[in-house]
């Protein structure tokens, strides 16, 4: 089981991403309400959604050592293609 | 130096969900091919056929330029910005997902299939305000010439996106030749044959074959059959 952190400023989209990720047997989604919580959090992968400030994103990319994915969308599309190799 | 990347039609990822037959030029859904992730800023080229009355329910996108081109039939679109529209053959639709949108796409007909291309291009700017546009093109303007259908400029022909990309379509009689000149140095072109056959710089392409062209300033294309139709997608290779 891999823990996938979902982080973004659009709460509705984050909620959908959490639901989609939790459909995979091999994954469990977690969320964090701000960048400080995220940086202190425990997870295997980070899915970065939209509405993250440039400052926060730079901080995240500098300090998060786990693989980071940018979300582009498509419930069963790109998300699945990009996550699958890491969930096997 | 020019280089070419040929993707034969039958080498694409295929998915048959009954109501949806989809061919993926680049990795998408259950098709994952590490050597076929993207061509420059072009990330998705899906060739979809949707049965009557069926479609894609509401799903989210963010930070992506999404272009839909109906090839046959009509596609019904609804999104979180309040847009509800039908796009038909000859139309082109564009969405800048930016900070996030949801949309659904359904076959507008209960009986007839709809065939369309869905193309995703990485934007050159993140977290833009989401936007939607669709226009009707005069398909006669692509007879034996390349018709611009997309550019980075709102004032230019076709729709526009947040990327230094230019798309053209052309439908040619047999043996008609034309030339394409790169709009921005360093860009590549992904050529996708919709019908008939073409020769590009000596390479023969059949229906639904794709050819990525890098390092070119210009190239020649020639229709080898009647009613040969092609889509050219010029995109940045570094983005």
């Amino acid at each position: 089981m891999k823990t996938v952190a979902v982080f973004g400023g659009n709460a509705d989209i984050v909620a959908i991403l959490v639901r989609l990720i939790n459909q995979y047997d091999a994954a469990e989604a977690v969320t964090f309400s701000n960048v400080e919580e995220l940086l202190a959090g425990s997870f295997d992968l980070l899915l970065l959604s939209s509405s993250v400030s440039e400052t926060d994103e730079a901080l995240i990319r500098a300090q998060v050592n786990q693989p980071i994915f940018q979300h582009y969308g498509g419930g069963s599309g790109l998300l699945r293609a990009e996550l699958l190799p890491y969930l096997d | 130096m020019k280089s070419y990347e040929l993707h034969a039609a039958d080498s694409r990822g295929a998915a048959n969900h009954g109501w949806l037959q989809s061919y993926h030029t680049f990795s998408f859904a259950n098709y994952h091919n590490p050597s076929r992730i993207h061509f420059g800023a072009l990330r998705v080229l899906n060739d979809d056929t949707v049965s009557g009355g069926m479609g894609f329910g509401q799903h989210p996108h963010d930070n992506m330029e999404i272009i839909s081109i109906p090839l046959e039939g009509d596609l019904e679109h609804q999104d979180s910005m309040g847009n509800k529209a039908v796009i038909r053959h000859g139309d082109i639709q564009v969405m800048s997902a930016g900070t996030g949108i949801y949309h659904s796409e359904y076959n507008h007909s209960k009986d007839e299939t709809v065939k369309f291309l869905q193309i995703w291009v990485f934007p050159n700017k993140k977290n833009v305000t989401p936007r939607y546009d669709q226009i009707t093109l005069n398909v006669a303007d692509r007879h034996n010439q390349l018709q611009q259908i997309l550019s980075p400029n709102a004032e230019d022909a076709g729709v526009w996106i947040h990327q230094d990309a230019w798309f053209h379509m052309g439908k040619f009689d047999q043996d008609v030749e034309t030339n394409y000149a790169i709009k921005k140095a360093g860009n590549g072109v992904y050529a996708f044959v919709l019908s008939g056959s073409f020769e590009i710089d000596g390479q023969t392409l059949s229906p639904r074959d794709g050819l990525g062209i890098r390092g070119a300033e210009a190239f020649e294309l020639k229709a080898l059959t009647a009613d040969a139709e092609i889509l050219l997608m010029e995109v940045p290779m570094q983005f």
Side-chain angles (χ1 to χ4, degrees):
Chain A
M1 174 75 78
K2 295 280 175 64
T3 303
V4 182
V6 182
F7 189 73
N10 187 322
D12 292 338
I13 286 188
V14 167
I16 292 171
L17 295 177
V18 167
R19 178 172 57 78
L20 292 171
I21 287 167
N22 286 335
Q23 288 175 355
Y24 298 108
D25 292 337
E28 179 183 38
V30 293
T31 60
F32 301 95
S33 55
N34 57 55
V35 72
E36 290 76 21
E37 280 187 21
L38 174 74
L39 295 175
S42 174
F43 50 87
D44 300 304
L45 313 168
L46 170 60
L47 182 64
L48 204 55
S49 185
S50 61
S51 300
V52 177
S53 72
E54 287 183 17
T55 307
D56 281 353
E57 184 169 341
L59 196 61
I60 289 166
R61 292 192 182 275
Q63 295 194 20
V64 169
N65 295 316
Q66 296 91 330
I68 300 173
F69 301 89
Q70 180 74 49
H71 173 251
Y72 298 104
S76 59
L78 208 53
L79 177 60
R80 186 171 178 81
E82 293 187 340
L83 282 179
L84 272 180
Y86 290 88
L87 298 181
D88 288 341
Chain B
M1 182 178 159
K2 268 189 197 178
S3 65
Y4 304 93
E5 194 176 312
L6 177 62
H7 299 152
D10 63 5
S11 71
R12 297 177 297 170
N16 187 346
H17 301 284
W19 63 273
L20 167 67
Q21 177 75 48
S22 189
Y23 292 95
H24 314 302
T25 293
F26 302 105
S27 293
F28 194 86
N30 288 324
Y31 170 59
H32 186 75
N33 180 344
S35 67
R36 297 267 190 97
I37 302 293
H38 61 99
F39 178 79
L42 176 62
R43 175 59 186 86
V44 171
L45 174 53
N46 286 348
D47 182 4
D48 291 345
T49 300
V50 175
S51 300
M54 304 299 288
F56 304 91
Q58 195 176 66
H59 56 277
H61 292 276
D62 52 29
N63 286 320
M64 191 65 89
E65 303 298 296
I66 300 161
I67 301 108
S68 296
I69 302 175
L71 303 175
E72 289 179 32
D74 303 331
L75 193 63
E76 191 173 302
H77 163 95
Q78 196 163 355
D79 65 42
S80 53
M81 294 176 282
N83 297 298
K84 187 173 183 181
V86 175
I87 52 171
R88 308 176 191 281
H89 174 62
D91 295 349
I92 180 170
Q93 177 205 63
V94 63
M95 286 187 300
S96 298
T99 54
I101 60 168
Y102 322 78
H103 76 137
S104 62
E105 297 157 298
Y106 281 89
N107 187 337
H108 186 58
S109 166
K110 295 283 180 264
D111 311 309
E112 305 293 325
T113 58
V114 61
K115 296 184 178 184
F116 68 104
L117 301 178
Q118 188 158 96
I119 300 161
W120 297 7
V121 175
F122 290 115
N124 56 15
K125 191 176 179 187
K126 291 178 78 172
N127 296 321
V128 299
T129 301
R131 59 179 276 272
Y132 174 91
D133 193 16
Q134 74 175 74
I135 62 170
T136 298
L137 301 158
N138 183 357
V139 294
D141 289 345
R142 68 183 70 151
H143 181 225
N144 285 336
Q145 61 183 352
L146 292 169
Q147 175 189 36
Q148 181 173 296
I149 62 169
L150 177 147
S151 80
N153 311 308
E155 305 80 24
D156 216 343
V159 293
W160 68 275
I161 63 170
H162 292 282
Q163 186 52 274
D164 292 327
W166 287 262
F167 288 9
H168 290 76
M169 291 180 82
K171 191 168 188 175
F172 297 90
D173 298 334
Q174 186 168 3
D175 295 329
V176 172
E177 297 180 45
T178 194
N179 175 277
Y180 181 82
I182 299 292
K183 309 291 182 198
K184 185 175 181 184
N187 278 3
V189 175
Y190 196 86
F192 187 66
V193 176
L194 299 171
S195 62
S197 298
F198 284 89
E199 184 180 283
I200 295 181
D201 283 356
Q203 308 214 35
T204 302
L205 301 176
S206 298
R208 269 32 180 202
D209 285 351
L211 182 70
I213 304 160
R214 302 165 188 259
E217 291 179 0
F219 58 87
E220 302 288 334
L221 64 93
K222 178 182 179 181
L224 301 178
T225 59
D227 292 330
E229 190 165 21
I230 197 163
L231 168 64
L232 301 180
M233 292 164 277
E234 178 182 332
V235 291
M237 301 310 292
Q238 309 292 331
F239 58 96

